[in-house]
Amino acid sequence: MHILKVHNYYQIRGGEEETIEAEARLLQQMGHQVEIYQDTNDRLATLGAARMAIKTVWSGEAYTTLKHRFGDQTYDVMHVDNFFPLISPSIYYAAKEAGVPVVQTLHNYRLLCPNALFFREGRICEDCLGKPIPFPGVQHGCYRQSKATSAAVATMLTVHRLLNTWTKMVDCYIALTEFARQKFIQGGLPAEKIVVKPHFISPDPGVGSGEGGYALYVGRLSVEKGLDTLLAAWEQLGGKIPLKIIGDGQLCDRVAEAVNKLPHVEWLGRKPMQEVYELMGEAKVLIFPSKWYETFGRVAIEAFAKGTPVIAANIGAIAELVDPGRTGLHFRPGDSQDLAQKVEWVLSHPAELAQMRREARAEFEVKYTAEKNYQQLMEIYTQVQPHPKTVSFPGELIHRGQ
């Protein structure tokens, strides 16, 4: 197969980018021809607000570039990971004109929510879910804490809903969990076009021993990730088990304050992936305290690969990934006391914890290997072949208007 992968990179690259790049490498290793079309948010600083708003709705640059590329070469599928904000949905129209099937992975909730998280002011927010015009997101300045930039995102979402872009221009959406799939259906995407295919871990990092005698958190230090819940729980635990924290973000000062106050909490900052895996494999348990609707939870399946059980908030996709009593435990989201109690349960049930380690690794082997991911991806690509007959759409008209 000849595959075009499309991605707009964030200024801070994270687990999503690692997954996208791993998927491209996997396809190449399996003998497919993979080309990359990408842009980066580093360019945002060079664009004025008005120009950025226009590009967010319709990038004539991306449309023209891909139209020429499709004219020069034959592709079996265009797989889009992220078009926002600089590439835009214009690329769907370029692909449709050329008869190239379009697959879109839904890494976040951008098509339903201006800030892509369903999270505002420290709580779950679904004010824009299902609304033709996501005006609440503009009112609250949900994207980059700015009403102007939020208006640009809302305009993009509204225009392309009116054009039926989301329903007609994409042949298949990939949701990462069934929870996320149901949210997208609730938000108006066609159910028959959404399949579930989780992320994967490659290469296999191998099983750890779990004998490090500590709990581990890995991820952004941010409100939606539940850092306040995590730190409050460890204050209540009173040193019963050390906690290591890997990551950085907006709550660095809060974590540093906790480290000074709680000698059994250690903040390691950002670490190379190999070192993260080593620490993860030696951890007794991984803590996943998110307060928002994660679309997936890559850190959880990394822990499974190392044979480390996960104590996760019972919310969103992460609750779906962790099977309580088998691969980990659930606690009430935002409830530090319940989290502390679950950690104490783990400490007092070593035999059950050992069984959870075996089950966590088995879960990885069954669901989250490169081999399994490749099989699922090929089924999706085959599903969108052959491409349906071309339908009428306003691509050329919109492009000329720009």
Side-chain angles (χ1 to χ4, degrees):
M1 275 192 173
H2 192 181
I3 302 153
L4 180 64
K5 292 275 282 181
V6 179
H7 186 54
N8 192 130
Y9 282 94
Y10 301 118
Q11 287 170 304
I12 300 176
R13 292 157 68 92
E16 179 180 314
E17 280 73 23
E18 292 174 7
T19 299
I20 292 166
E21 291 166 1
E23 192 169 76
R25 289 194 300 270
L26 174 61
L27 289 167
Q28 290 171 329
Q29 291 166 4
M30 298 304 292
H32 301 285
Q33 184 178 352
V34 180
E35 294 182 23
I36 308 294
Y37 177 73
Q38 65 185 42
D39 208 330
T40 173
N41 282 8
D42 292 338
R43 287 210 300 138
L44 289 175
T46 67
L47 301 173
R51 191 176 172 200
M52 176 194 157
I54 292 171
K55 275 186 167 290
T56 298
V57 177
W58 184 274
S59 171
E61 176 187 358
Y63 173 85
T64 300
T65 299
L66 289 196
K67 186 174 180 181
H68 289 162
R69 184 174 290 196
F70 292 142
D72 293 339
Q73 301 184 63
T74 300
Y75 293 87
D76 295 292
V77 67
M78 179 177 78
H79 187 162
V80 183
D81 285 292
N82 180 31
F83 63 72
F84 182 84
L86 296 177
I87 296 176
S88 88
S90 67
I91 57 172
Y92 296 155
Y93 290 86
K96 278 290 183 178
E97 289 183 5
V100 178
V102 175
V103 173
Q104 169 75 62
T105 297
L106 300 164
H107 291 280
N108 57 44
Y109 298 107
R110 183 75 65 192
L111 300 189
L112 310 179
C113 169
N115 77 1
L117 300 176
F118 285 137
F119 193 84
R120 176 172 60 82
E121 298 176 355
R123 63 176 180 82
I124 292 294
C125 173
E126 297 186 354
D127 290 354
C128 293
L129 180 60
K131 286 186 170 60
I133 301 175
F135 188 65
V138 179
Q139 287 180 305
H140 296 289
C142 289
Y143 180 62
R144 299 196 168 206
Q145 299 180 326
S146 164
K147 291 185 178 181
T149 55
S150 297
V153 180
T155 300
M156 180 271 290
L157 294 174
T158 302
V159 166
H160 287 286
R161 282 172 186 162
L162 291 172
L163 292 174
N164 292 318
T165 299
W166 316 130
T167 57
K168 291 184 178 180
M169 294 296 118
V170 178
D171 297 282
C172 182
Y173 290 100
I174 298 175
L176 305 177
T177 59
E178 183 59 33
F179 176 89
R181 179 176 182 270
Q182 291 303 320
K183 278 295 168 193
F184 284 108
I185 293 171
Q186 189 179 350
L189 295 190
E192 69 277 8
K193 287 191 174 185
I194 310 175
V195 300
V196 175
K197 181 192 74 65
H199 286 327
F200 68 104
I201 303 299
S202 180
D204 182 347
V207 182
S209 71
E211 296 179 355
Y214 57 85
L216 181 69
Y217 170 86
V218 180
R220 290 195 309 276
L221 308 185
S222 57
V223 175
E224 73 274 7
K225 288 292 187 177
L227 263 294
D228 56 344
T229 306
L230 177 69
L231 295 174
W234 248 259
E235 187 169 2
Q236 295 170 42
L237 284 166
K240 292 180 180 177
I241 179 173
L243 170 67
K244 295 181 186 292
I245 297 175
I246 298 176
D248 59 17
Q250 60 191 203
L251 295 185
C252 285
D253 291 345
R254 174 73 179 87
V255 174
E257 179 185 330
V259 169
N260 290 331
K261 181 179 179 181
L262 305 171
H264 47 282
V265 175
E266 182 181 8
W267 177 29
L268 305 177
R270 291 178 68 89
K271 291 289 183 181
M273 200 63 234
Q274 185 56 43
E275 192 170 343
V276 173
Y277 279 145
E278 290 172 2
L279 288 164
M280 195 175 280
E282 298 308 304
K284 189 177 291 289
V285 67
L286 180 107
I287 312 296
F288 205 119
S290 274
K291 292 182 174 181
W292 73 291
Y293 295 150
E294 300 270 357
T295 51
F296 192 59
R298 178 185 168 90
V299 171
I301 66 169
E302 289 172 340
F304 290 167
K306 298 298 296 185
T308 301
V310 177
I311 300 178
N314 190 15
I315 187 172
I318 185 60
E320 180 180 327
L321 298 183
V322 177
D323 185 0
R326 190 174 69 85
T327 60
L329 297 172
H330 286 167
F331 72 93
R332 290 186 295 274
D335 189 334
S336 60
Q337 183 176 359
D338 193 32
L339 172 56
Q341 289 174 353
K342 295 303 191 295
V343 173
E344 290 177 334
W345 187 94
V346 164
L347 296 176
S348 62
H349 291 79
E352 288 85 348
L353 179 62
Q355 179 61 25
M356 283 183 183
R357 292 194 65 83
R358 292 188 288 271
E359 292 290 344
R361 175 63 191 187
E363 186 82 346
F364 164 75
E365 292 174 349
V366 169
K367 296 182 179 179
Y368 305 118
T369 63
E371 293 77 11
K372 182 65 175 178
N373 185 274
Y374 177 72
Q375 176 187 346
Q376 293 173 313
L377 197 55
M378 285 300 101
E379 289 173 357
I380 291 167
Y381 288 169
T382 301
Q383 172 187 319
V384 297
Q385 307 287 336
H387 189 62
K389 293 181 180 180
T390 302
V391 298
S392 59
F393 52 85
E396 289 285 1
L397 180 61
I398 294 177
H399 178 54
R400 287 197 296 270
Q402 294 295 321

